[in-house]
Amino acid sequence: MDRVSTIVRSRIMGSVGSSHTKPEMIVRRALHAAGLRYRLHSKQLPGKPDIVLSSRNLVVFVHGCFWHGCRRCQRKKKARSNLDYWLPKIARNRARDRANENKLRRAGWKVLAIWECETRSPKALTAFVKRVARTPVL
Ligand SMILES: [Zn+2]
């Protein structure tokens, strides 16, 4: 643990057990503003998707960039040595994310994911909301 800088550690602590993180709130607000209705954190579904749009058979994951290993953000990271310490853990999270997505798809769900860094870009967020809205209602 000594090798982990305060910044990295606080980022990790901030993402542990995060059911109502800020990125997720941003996505929920944006979906709601577009008239899209959903329920939250379906515990019965693989990976406990953050947002479930049952009428569209669609689940949404809001991935924290650090914890789920966003490639775009990792590339920008300066503290490579600190990051390397966590890479095996992050790789396991990514593998688990993919396994959960596959399970959901096999069960007939459509799966969309948005990264934390995308929630901070109005353009990316709008594009994501459009993708959700384009998913047909069953
Ligand atoms: Zn990112």
Side-chain angles (χ1 to χ4, degrees), residues 16-82:
V16 166
S18 53
S19 353
H20 301 287
T21 55
K22 200 169 167 235
E24 194 187 312
M25 297 298 285
I26 292 169
V27 175
R28 274 153 56 179
R29 259 200 308 275
L31 292 175
H32 194 268
L36 296 156
R37 296 298 175 259
Y38 50 80
R39 62 200 166 86
L40 304 174
H41 299 286
S42 185
K43 292 192 173 64
Q44 295 91 334
L45 294 173
K48 299 184 186 121
D50 297 303
I51 297 167
V52 180
L53 295 97
S54 307
S55 63
R56 294 162 199 267
N57 239 26
L58 173 71
V59 299
V60 170
F61 287 98
V62 184
H63 286 325
C65 288
F66 180 81
W67 208 231
H68 293 262
C70 173
R71 298 256 190 254
R72 202 171 17 229
C73 291
Q74 278 185 1
R75 233 178 289 132
K76 282 190 300 207
K77 280 284 163 340
K78 288 201 175 101
R80 290 299 308 187
S81 57
N82 283 331

Side-chain angles (χ1 to χ4, degrees), residues 86-112:
W86 292 100
L87 280 180
K89 174 76 176 155
I90 292 167
R92 280 196 296 277
N93 284 342
R94 285 183 62 89
R96 192 169 46 218
D97 288 344
R98 260 189 301 267
N100 284 329
E101 284 177 21
N102 288 338
K103 272 187 215 158
L104 285 160
R105 289 204 176 95
R106 275 198 301 272
W109 291 92
K110 279 164 288 212
V111 181
L112 291 179

